[in-house]
Amino acid sequence: MLPVAGVTWVGVAPTHRCRGVLTSLMRKQLTELHDSAGEPIAALRPSEAAIYGRFGYGPATRQNQFRCDKRSLHFRPGTDFGDGTIQLLDRDTARPLIEKVYDQVRAASIAWPDRAERLWASRLADAPHSRGGATSLPKGLFCGASTGMKRHCHHGC
């Protein structure tokens, strides 16, 4: 498994386009990655994929949606379903637990990017004006586990 630099949210204000800002930004980022020799691969999640071919990026996949017949899906043998207790947590209590679970899964998974503070804040935001009249979203559930290792579930991440 190789470390990968995750690149996303690259943008240039409309008032500064066609001035070489994106080229300069991408060149600096790729040069620093090369010089550091820490991450031999850079993966980009673009909003406009066609722009980034000139920097060496290309599609790794065309679609990432799965459709499954639920009747044919099964849990792995030995899956711990806990003791069945669930407790709704407030956002501030749930966040460090969600981050911990995410980091544990990320460390054992391929292509899960690290998340910066601002991304967690954005993912867990629940501004009233963005709810369309709905109530506040729950952001954390605590699931009791019989093994003593607590499992944490989350909604919205």
Side-chain angles (χ1 to χ4, degrees):
M1 193 165 15
L2 296 172
V4 175
V7 183
T8 189
W9 293 7
V10 176
V12 176
T15 56
H16 290 76
R17 291 189 182 142
C18 299
R19 298 182 186 183
V21 174
L22 178 62
T23 299
S24 177
L25 181 71
M26 294 301 293
R27 183 175 291 130
K28 179 173 175 48
Q29 184 255 348
L30 291 170
T31 299
E32 287 178 0
L33 283 172
H34 178 268
D35 292 349
S36 74
E39 296 157 318
I41 300 169
L44 172 72
R45 183 174 179 193
S47 58
E48 296 180 53
I51 295 172
Y52 297 94
R54 67 181 187 231
F55 304 111
Y57 290 101
T61 182
R62 297 271 181 222
Q63 186 175 7
N64 62 354
Q65 184 176 24
F66 296 97
R67 294 187 183 154
C68 304
D69 181 349
K70 293 178 187 176
R71 295 171 293 187
S72 66
L73 300 177
H74 305 280
F75 288 100
R76 290 183 188 174
T79 298
D80 179 6
F81 295 102
D83 63 11
T85 61
I86 297 176
Q87 178 184 358
L88 186 61
L89 302 175
D90 64 77
R91 193 173 321 279
D92 293 335
T93 304
R95 180 175 169 169
L97 301 173
I98 294 169
E99 289 181 33
K100 181 179 177 183
V101 170
Y102 182 89
D103 286 340
Q104 288 173 349
V105 173
R106 182 179 64 82
S109 302
I110 296 172
W112 278 46
D114 191 11
R115 288 189 169 173
E117 159 61 30
R118 70 175 186 255
L119 185 56
W120 280 113
S122 171
R123 286 297 261 171
L124 298 175
D126 187 27
H129 69 273
S130 65
R131 294 184 200 141
T135 59
S136 174
L137 295 173
K139 288 296 179 181
L141 299 175
F142 169 83
C143 306
S146 58
T147 62
M149 169 63 181
K150 302 288 189 237
R151 293 185 303 131
H152 300 87
C153 309
H154 64 279
H155 166 77
C157 295

